[in-house]
Amino acid sequence: MFRDTRPHGIRIPTHRETAEEWGEQIAVLRDAPRGWRFLLGRLSSDGYLCHLDLNYHLDGELVAVVQTSRPVPSGHRVGSLTTPRSQLSTFLANSDRLDPRIHLAPPDGPPTPGEVRLHGVPVPVEVHRSHGCRSALISRLPSQPGYAIVTAATEHWAAATDLALRPPAAF
């Protein structure tokens, strides 16, 4: 006989429940390539949902992450800020491209100009590169506070940088 030793009363919210808790639009790939699936991750600060990560996988391999973030309300004890470099290091570690003991991946040089498309409109960005992957920040989202960071393996960069904002009901 097997015994369930998990704590009772802890329930993982569905993607839709997390999106509804977020309550604002969420950055996603506008048209995810065939076979790409996503998992929705979340990060809270003092109980406030401040980051949503759409982790895109292809055949079980992490190929891209699109993070939507918003500022933590004033008065919270703990702030939360991510950067293209920190996201790039996290992506490299989570995709087994980098030793997880390295906290920030060394860049392959200074950031270079590039663009990300949001609803088909080009947005100029600075592209950070390390170990065959890229990351860029959209510093301002239209009609809501916050920002988005897209990170992907270089071979998937073109597909990963065509973004849209979707309402919670889309999940």
Side-chain angles (χ1 to χ4, degrees):
M1 174 194 266
F2 292 98
R3 189 169 159 204
D4 184 2
T5 58
R6 292 177 293 173
H8 296 287
I10 294 177
R11 191 178 82 61
I12 299 172
T14 65
H15 290 342
R16 170 63 69 87
E17 290 168 336
T18 297
E20 287 173 356
E21 180 183 345
W22 181 259
E24 298 179 63
Q25 295 190 85
I26 301 164
V28 301
L29 296 186
R30 191 159 67 151
D31 291 307
R34 177 179 283 182
W36 286 31
R37 303 283 183 252
F38 73 86
L39 293 173
L40 182 61
R42 56 186 287 147
L43 179 68
S44 296
S45 174
D46 279 347
Y48 178 77
L49 185 57
C50 54
H51 302 290
L52 291 181
D53 290 339
L54 271 79
N55 296 283
Y56 289 90
H57 295 84
L58 175 62
D59 298 328
E61 178 186 348
L62 181 62
V63 293
V65 176
V66 178
Q67 181 185 84
T68 309
S69 297
R70 60 185 173 192
V72 175
S74 62
H76 275 242
R77 295 176 316 206
V78 179
S80 183
L81 178 66
T82 55
T83 66
R85 280 210 51 216
S86 67
Q87 283 298 94
L88 187 53
S89 290
T90 300
F91 180 82
L92 289 166
N94 289 341
S95 63
D96 294 328
R97 294 173 184 256
L98 184 67
D99 185 329
R101 294 173 291 185
I102 298 174
H103 296 292
L104 277 177
D108 291 347
T112 57
E115 75 176 27
V116 171
R117 299 182 73 74
L118 184 60
H119 294 294
V121 177
V123 176
V125 296
E126 287 188 339
V127 179
H128 299 256
R129 292 174 170 79
S130 184
H131 292 79
C133 297
R134 300 177 186 187
S135 189
L137 165 74
I138 298 174
S139 60
R140 201 171 69 108
L141 298 175
S143 72
Q144 70 187 52
Y147 58 92
I149 298 175
V150 60
T151 307
T154 298
E155 62 268 23
H156 300 294
W157 186 246
T161 55
D162 186 11
L163 306 174
L165 295 173
R166 299 280 188 248
F171 293 83

